[in-house]
Amino acid sequence: GLGALGLAVIHGLVRAGARRIIAIDINPTKFPLALQMGATETVNPLEIPGGRDALVSHIVNLTNDDGVG
């Protein structure tokens, strides 16, 4: 989510040099601030049809399977 803690995480990721930061929240009014702070993409889980599994697949597709690990 993109409350105070989520925004702090974005800040930390930017300072650490992350090249992609995907911000996730069900409230799209929080997206502009997240992008301003350094998020590179935003996702509203309520806009991804198919539930949790579809959300995971959507994020994997966004990252082209280029995750951590």
Side-chain angles (χ1 to χ4, degrees):
L2 295 174
L5 182 58
L7 294 174
V9 169
I10 290 172
H11 178 73
L13 290 169
V14 168
R15 290 185 54 96
R19 59 187 171 92
R20 291 186 80 187
I21 302 169
I22 302 170
I24 302 174
D25 202 289
I26 61 171
N27 183 350
T29 64
K30 295 180 178 183
F31 293 162
L33 181 57
L35 292 167
Q36 180 182 342
M37 292 190 66
T40 56
E41 293 148 275
T42 59
V43 175
N44 182 341
L46 299 179
E47 294 178 357
I48 308 297
R52 181 185 182 280
D53 290 338
L55 176 61
V56 171
S57 293
H58 179 75
I59 293 170
V60 168
N61 288 333
L62 282 177
T63 60
N64 296 318
D65 294 319
D66 183 29
V68 177

